[in-house]
Every structure is written in C-alpha cells, then in structure tokens.
Amino acid sequence: GKDAVKTAGIIPARYGSTRLPGKPLLEIQGRPMVWWVCERARRARRLDEVWVATDDRRIEEACRGLQIPVVMTGREHRTAAERLQEAAEQVRADFYVQINGDEPLIDPANIDAAVPDEVPLDVEFGTNIIARVKDPAQLLHASNIKVVFDDSFRALYMSRTPVPYPFCDVSFSYYKHVGIIGYNRKMLDFYKSSDPGRLESIEGIDTLRFLDYGKELRLIPVERADSLSVDTEADLRWVRERMSEKRL
C-alpha cells in the first residue's frame, strides 16, 4: 500500500541558463526562486521529502543556508530522466517526482497528481502529468509535446506533431505533456542502462524511450496547468508582480 512506498520530490536547479544565468538564485520577494519552488513542493501531501538537485556550488550553498536538502549532480547537459536517476543514487526512495525548478507558482495539487494511489515496484513504471490544449495555436508549437493514450490513460505515443490526426472526427480534445514526471526506481535504472530508442531519436523526446522499449507510462490529466516557467526577464517581472500582489 501507499504507506510502504516512500516518495521524494526532486527539483533540478541548473546554474547555466542561456537567457537567465543563475536562474534558481534570482530573487523574488527577498528569497531565491528555488526556495519558492521548494515551498510549493512541500505543500504537496504525497511527497515524503523534497530535495534540490544542482550542478553548481553556489546553488548548493544557498540551499544549505535556507535549510533545503540538496544533492550535487553532474554538470554535463542531460535529459530529465537521467538527471533524476543521478539524484536518485543519493536520495533513497521508491518513487521520484521531478518538479521544474523555474516554476515558483507551481500547483502542489498537480505535484500530488503525479503520485498514483498504487505505485508498482516490481516493474518499470512512470507517470506524466498532461493537460488539455485550450489554445489551437499551441498545437502547432513543436515545443508542446502532444500525447496519445488508451482508455486507461496508458501512453501510446508522444509527438511534436498534432496527433491524433482528425480524419473522421474533429470533436475531440488534444492533450499535451506538462513538466511534472514521476518514475519508480526500476524505471530510472532501466533508463540509465538503456540506449536511446528509435522513436526517441526521431522525435527528440527523451520520454519516448520508455515507449520504445514497451515500459508502462501512465498519463494523468489535470485541470489547470498554467504555471509559468520563468525563462526571460519579462517572465521574472510578471512572477514578481503576481507574488507581491498575492503575498504568497
């Protein structure tokens, strides 16, 4: 049951962002952005602990100063799953949820949604949060990853193209992948020991590795996934204004 399963939230915080260097340490309301993400993650009821995984001593120091549990991971640019696996080598748990380090307004309920009631431990298993695409323009953006699933929300395919194709019917909803992912240990260990798969290599979507090899990936729809990733100075200003109004 759930009691026996230990879940850890991992927040990757890289120093080298091309547009906003030192992004996790950017100040919002007198505290670094990574602290706000941690605070939101700690409100998630289904996480037993929350850790920051960083590649930079400055971020590590800031976390220690704020009493945030932190682990160091390698600097070379890696995929989300690989970074999670590296953090999992140091943080012992059964199930790991990766939380974007640049979303200070992330919804704790969406983090909880990534942790199912029953986490299988004996087979490779993962979850990805998905949301309905409300704006048709988003469909055409290759950066929005569209997902196809069966009746039990098991992932069948993911693509940068709008799939499925509306040949016989147009009255359906498209869904896109949202950046909260959960994997059990077995899934992460499989990822580390496997080579990139065929579809993964074609689409450039690292999550496709799991489907290439027939692993179970469960997609979990959430209602609201409009949390903003802070990528530019304008995003940062917007978040600062929002948070000073709200006094979150």
Side-chain angles (χ1 to χ4, degrees), residues 192 200 209:
K192 187 184 182 181
E200 174 191 5
R209 169 126 20 136

Side-chain angles (χ1 to χ4, degrees), residues 89-105:
E89 297 273 332
Q90 301 175 66
V91 177
R92 303 308 293 181
D94 301 303
F95 194 72
Y96 298 87
V97 180
Q98 177 165 309
I99 300 153
N100 285 346
D102 59 4
E103 291 186 31
L105 294 168

Side-chain angles (χ1 to χ4, degrees), residues 234-246:
D235 296 339
L236 186 63
R237 276 197 302 278
W238 186 85
V239 164
R240 279 176 176 154
E241 281 161 25
R242 274 286 295 272
M243 290 172 88
S244 62
E245 285 162 26
K246 277 191 175 175

Side-chain angles (χ1 to χ4, degrees), residues 35 38 42 50 61-70:
W35 182 87
C38 264
R42 282 177 176 155
V50 175
E61 264 173 46
C63 287
R64 292 203 191 286
L66 292 161
Q67 275 73 57
I68 296 169
V70 59

Side-chain angles (χ1 to χ4, degrees), residues 40-244:
R40 309 290 282 185
R42 282 177 176 155
R43 293 185 205 174
R45 300 198 179 119
R46 294 189 161 216
L47 297 182
D48 296 313
E49 33 186 76
V50 175
W51 291 75
V52 168
T54 189
D55 60 356
D56 193 276
R57 294 286 170 206
R58 289 163 286 192
I59 295 171
E60 183 192 31
E61 264 173 46
C63 287
R64 292 203 191 286
L66 292 161
Q67 275 73 57
I68 296 169
V70 59
V71 292
M72 290 291 290
T73 55
R75 181 157 296 162
E76 56 276 31
H77 184 64
R78 293 184 161 187
T79 61
E82 212 164 325
R83 202 176 294 121
L84 202 54
Q85 196 280 334
E86 211 179 338
E89 297 273 332
Q90 301 175 66
V91 177
R92 303 308 293 181
D94 301 303
F95 194 72
Y96 298 87
V97 180
Q98 177 165 309
I99 300 153
N100 285 346
D102 59 4
E103 291 186 31
L105 294 168
I106 195 163
D107 186 347
N110 286 356
I111 297 172
D112 278 334
V115 185
D117 291 332
E118 291 292 323
V119 174
L121 299 179
D122 50 337
V123 292
E124 291 92 350
F125 173 80
T127 62
N128 278 210
I129 297 297
I130 59 170
R132 201 158 58 80
V133 177
K134 298 188 175 89
D135 171 11
Q138 285 192 353
L139 276 182
L140 303 175
H141 279 290
S143 57
N144 282 322
I145 292 167
K146 278 65 71 174
V147 293
V148 181
F149 43 85
D150 66 13
D151 284 352
S152 59
F153 284 96
R154 190 186 169 113
L156 298 173
Y157 193 58
M158 302 185 165
S159 180
R160 297 185 185 279
T161 308
V163 284
Y165 183 85
F167 186 62
C168 299
D169 183 15
V170 290
S171 60
F172 66 91
S173 296
Y174 283 96
Y175 281 82
K176 66 172 182 177
H177 171 264
V178 182
I180 304 173
I181 56 181
Y183 300 124
N184 68 3
R185 284 254 6 159
K186 248 183 142 60
M187 190 76 130
L188 289 174
D189 291 341
F190 151 75
Y191 190 87
K192 187 184 182 181
S193 61
S194 59
D195 292 319
R198 185 173 63 93
L199 297 169
E200 174 191 5
S201 302
I202 296 169
E203 290 256 16
I205 299 172
D206 51 305
T207 317
L208 276 174
R209 169 126 20 136
F210 303 116
L211 304 184
D212 268 323
Y213 289 91
K215 306 301 178 194
E216 185 180 353
L217 191 60
R218 194 177 303 163
L219 303 177
I220 299 167
V222 295
E223 271 311 304
R224 293 184 57 242
D226 46 13
S227 165
L228 177 85
S229 299
V230 177
D231 290 319
T232 63
E233 285 288 348
D235 296 339
L236 186 63
R237 276 197 302 278
W238 186 85
V239 164
R240 279 176 176 154
E241 281 161 25
R242 274 286 295 272
M243 290 172 88
S244 62

